[in-house]
């Protein structure tokens, strides 16, 4: 907890500034693990708070013509597939109370400039969701709480086959090919190693109502302290005792 000293020798509080910022929750986990369901349930249960959801998918790079021509060789599960600089700047703006326009990503055309962009307003809680949101330390540092959704690989694959064939109009051979070539190796090499950064690991994703209830209770407690610190910015003891 950082405090600064004034000329009078009295600490002024940068902690008070910190507590004006929203509570940021990161939700990571393998593709089709149920991250979206977990986020939806948290948002639903926090109905009386201002909550926004930011998806890492919105920050996929647009593909060049050359990459588009050979799209089946493109690795969408590698950290380099995302524009992390843009993600960071959008998150920083939101944390500092500015609205941002977040691109809409179209999985069918592989483009992230689908018009219109989504206007996201600053809120009390920001949930950042995506397969690799724990990968970059700069993104991790923005988070007050990190959740990893841990769902068995066979369940993830079954959901993915259903989703990619039904919603994205892909054929099953292409889905299985992408899974063995990119999705599974990237899960082992990049996603699973970030599980160690999680504060909370949720087995069975959105089916785990007990875990979601506990998480929501914890967020509510933190938001209560957040409000208290906004009203009484000189409550140093509260800051240092309860900081996550
Ligand atoms: N992906 C793809 N085609 C693209 C872009 C991404 O198939 N043009 C795939 C990547 O291969 C990656 C997945 O999308 O595996 C990431 O999205 P995912 O985490 O499955 O989406 P969510 O809906 O957030 O997942 P969940 O079921 O956990 O909510």
């Amino acid at each position: 907890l950082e405090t600064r000293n004034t000329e009078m020798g009295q600490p002024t509080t940068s902690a008070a500034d910190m507590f004006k910022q929203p509570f940021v929750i990161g939700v990571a986990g393998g593709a089709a693990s149920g991250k979206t369901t977990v986020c939806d349930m948290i948002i639903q249960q926090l109905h009386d708070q201002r909550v926004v959801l930011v998806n890492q998918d919105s920050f996929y790079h647009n593909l060049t013509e050359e990459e588009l021509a050979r799209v089946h060789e493109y690795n969408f599960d590698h950290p380099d597939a995302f524009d992390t600089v843009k993600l960071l700047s959008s998150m920083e703006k939101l944390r500092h109370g500015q609205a941002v326009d977040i691109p809409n990503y179209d999985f069918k055309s592989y483009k992230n400039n689908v018009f219109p962009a989504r206007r996201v307003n600053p809120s009390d809680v920001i949930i950042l969701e995506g397969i690799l949101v724990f990968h970059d330390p700069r993104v991790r540092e923005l988070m007050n709480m990190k959740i990893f959704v841990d769902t068995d690989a066979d369940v993830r694959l079954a959901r993915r086959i259903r989703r990619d064939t039904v919603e994205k109009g892909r054929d099953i051979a292409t889905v299985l090919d992408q899974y063995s070539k990119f999705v599974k190796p990237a899960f082992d090499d990049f996603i699973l190693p970030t599980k160690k950064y999680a504060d909370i690991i949720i087995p069975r994703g959105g089916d785990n109502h007990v875990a979601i209830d506990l998480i929501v209770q914890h967020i509510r407690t933190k938001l209560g302290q957040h409000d208290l610190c906004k009203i009484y910015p000189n409550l140093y003891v509260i800051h240092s005792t309860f900081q996550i």
Side-chain angles (χ1 to χ4, degrees):
L1 184 72
E2 186 199 340
T3 53
R4 284 175 268 127
N5 288 319
T6 62
E7 287 167 12
M8 303 292 289
Q10 294 295 316
T12 60
T13 177
S14 61
D17 299 340
M18 187 173 81
F19 272 87
K20 278 183 213 143
Q21 293 183 347
F23 190 82
V24 181
I25 306 168
V27 180
S33 57
K35 299 181 292 298
T36 308
T37 311
V38 167
C39 294
D40 287 347
M41 288 170 77
I42 294 175
I43 293 168
Q44 212 180 344
Q45 291 196 31
L46 285 174
H47 53 88
D48 52 346
Q49 301 286 341
R50 295 187 311 155
V51 188
V52 285
L53 178 63
V54 176
N55 301 94
Q56 191 181 27
D57 292 348
S58 302
F59 298 90
Y60 266 120
H61 285 294
N62 272 327
L63 303 194
T64 61
E65 289 303 319
E66 206 178 314
E67 285 164 339
L68 267 177
R70 301 155 70 94
V71 77
H72 298 314
E73 289 165 33
Y74 191 87
N75 188 352
F76 289 100
D77 293 72
H78 192 280
D80 292 347
F82 299 96
D83 186 345
T84 301
V85 171
K86 193 167 175 186
L87 168 72
L88 273 167
S89 86
S90 299
M91 288 297 292
E92 281 296 355
K93 281 185 187 153
L94 275 177
R95 278 178 80 221
H96 291 96
Q98 294 171 38
V100 286
D101 287 328
I102 295 199
N104 278 312
Y105 186 72
D106 179 15
F107 284 85
K108 283 189 180 166
S109 64
Y110 308 99
K111 291 199 184 314
N112 73 3
N113 49 7
V114 183
F115 186 79
R118 185 167 71 103
R119 169 55 53 120
V120 177
N121 291 311
S123 295
D124 300 321
V125 180
I126 304 172
I127 305 181
L128 175 60
E129 174 265 325
I131 50 173
L132 284 162
V133 292
F134 295 167
H135 181 75
D136 190 305
R138 295 166 301 173
V139 181
R140 282 201 307 273
E141 274 163 24
L142 300 174
M143 297 168 182
N144 301 95
M145 181 196 261
K146 299 185 208 68
I147 300 172
F148 190 94
V149 182
D150 201 11
T151 303
D152 289 345
D154 56 345
V155 176
R156 284 188 278 113
L157 176 58
R159 280 195 195 140
R160 187 177 180 109
I161 292 171
R162 191 171 301 130
R163 184 190 301 178
D164 285 6
T165 52
V166 177
E167 291 171 22
K168 296 181 189 156
R170 298 177 185 173
D171 66 73
I172 194 157
T174 310
V175 178
L176 292 177
D177 195 40
Q178 183 190 11
Y179 186 83
S180 55
K181 212 154 137 192
F182 298 122
V183 181
K184 185 175 164 48
F187 180 80
D188 294 338
D189 293 347
F190 303 115
I191 301 173
L192 192 56
T194 68
K195 187 168 148 181
K196 63 175 174 279
Y197 300 116
D199 303 304
I200 300 159
I201 296 165
I202 312 188
R204 306 183 311 280
D207 295 335
N208 195 331
H209 293 260
V210 175
I212 312 266
D213 285 351
L214 288 170
I215 289 167
V216 170
Q217 269 182 39
H218 180 81
I219 298 168
R220 284 194 180 286
T221 309
K222 291 292 166 190
L223 287 175
Q225 289 158 16
H226 178 285
D227 289 344
L228 204 59
C229 290
K230 273 190 202 166
I231 303 166
Y232 303 108
N234 293 320
L235 282 176
Y236 301 111
V237 179
I238 287 180
H239 292 163
S240 51
T241 310
F242 291 101
Q243 189 189 346
I244 291 178

